[in-house]
Every structure is written in C-alpha cells, then in structure tokens.
Amino acid sequence: MSSCYDINVSSSNKNLNVGKKLKALIVDDDRVVRMVHKGLLKKFGVETHEAKNGQEAVLAHRAGACFDLILMDLDMPVMNGRQATQELRDMDVVSLIVGVTSTGEAEKESFVNAGLDYYYQKPLTVDVVRLLVEKFKDDA
C-alpha cells in the first residue's frame, strides 16, 4: 500500500511508530461523528481532513487531494457513500476505504461491492482505529 505523502514524523502515540504522517479523510454528514473519528485518528498521529458528503470527497480527489485512509459513511445527502466509493474506485483511487455506518447488514453487501476495503459499524473504537493504522505500519 503506497502512501500519498512520505513525511517523517513521530507519532503522538508512544506505542505506535508509524514512521510517516498518514492522511485520512473523514466523510460523514454528522458533525459529531466527524469529531469522534477525528479525535480517534489524532491519537495515532493521523492528519485528518473532513467532507460532509460523498460529493465533497470526490471533488477533493478531482482537485488533486490524496489520502491514505478514507472513512466513508453510507447514508449522506447529495452523494451517498456507496456512490462516492464507486466513483473514487472508478477514478483509480487506491486509498484504503473503510465503510463506517450505523445501518444494518442489509446494506452492507452493496456498500462493500462498491469498492470498500473494510466495513465497520459506528462508532469506531480505539481498537478498530489502531488496527487500521497498523495496516500502514505493516506495509511500510
């Protein structure tokens, strides 16, 4: 898995030596969820950016933005997570895209089939975020 940016920084978490600054995009229409996920990612030294819907995420990539990790909500106005994920994959975006939703299993299959790498129920926990961040450490 390649990183968009290879900036050497020390992690704010002493137990995790990532060796590079990871960039994450949090895509969710709920401000509180964005704040929670931002706080969790920052515990591991991840630089965070936010989008309020899938269209904002797609437009950011079209404008040249690049992220290592994208946390993608399913149900959002303007463009939902399934549509945004499919469009990002069609644009050859190779970021790790993680579906994060409060909807049940019925929606999971079509969301995963749009191009997700992983799928988790909201809210994310410290342990889940640690696992995601460590995937980059293992691939470094």
Side-chain angles (χ1 to χ4, degrees), residues 2 5 11 16 19 21 27 29-30 34-35 38 61 71 78 84 90 93 96 101 109 111-112 128 133:
S2 64
Y5 302 93
S11 173
L16 184 64
K21 184 78 168 187
V27 187
D29 59 319
D30 186 320
R34 290 194 312 269
M35 286 174 32
K38 180 177 182 175
H61 282 84
L71 300 181
V78 185
D90 289 347
V93 171
L96 187 73
T101 184
E109 186 175 348
F111 197 11
V112 169
V128 169
V133 171

Side-chain angles (χ1 to χ4, degrees), residues 9-22 40-46 69 126-140:
V9 297
S10 60
S11 173
S12 61
N13 184 328
K14 303 294 185 212
N15 297 325
L16 184 64
N17 180 18
V18 175
K20 65 184 171 192
K21 184 78 168 187
L22 296 175
L40 287 170
L41 288 164
K42 285 191 175 274
K43 284 183 185 220
F44 295 95
V46 178
L69 172 65
V126 170
D127 291 335
V128 169
V129 172
R130 179 182 293 113
L131 287 172
L132 293 172
V133 171
E134 285 178 348
K135 291 185 182 310
F136 293 96
K137 178 181 164 187
D138 293 342
D139 291 340

Side-chain angles (χ1 to χ4, degrees), residues 49-83:
H49 299 264
E50 299 177 25
K52 295 175 188 153
N53 59 61
Q55 184 180 51
E56 288 183 9
V58 169
L59 291 174
H61 282 84
R62 284 197 180 131
C66 187
F67 302 96
D68 300 294
L69 172 65
I70 301 171
L71 300 181
M72 182 74 71
D73 184 27
L74 174 60
D75 295 316
M76 296 178 287
V78 185
M79 179 185 286
N80 69 36
R82 185 182 313 103
Q83 294 165 318

Side-chain angles (χ1 to χ4, degrees), residues 28 33 36-37 40 71-75 98-109 111-112 116 118-126 128-129 132:
D28 201 301
V33 171
V36 168
H37 290 167
L40 287 170
L71 300 181
M72 182 74 71
D73 184 27
L74 174 60
D75 295 316
V98 179
V100 184
T101 184
S102 56
T103 61
E105 291 292 315
E107 297 287 330
K108 179 180 177 180
E109 186 175 348
F111 197 11
V112 169
L116 292 181
Y118 298 97
Y119 173 94
Y120 292 99
Q121 290 287 110
K122 284 183 188 177
L124 290 182
T125 64
V126 170
V128 169
V129 172
L132 293 172

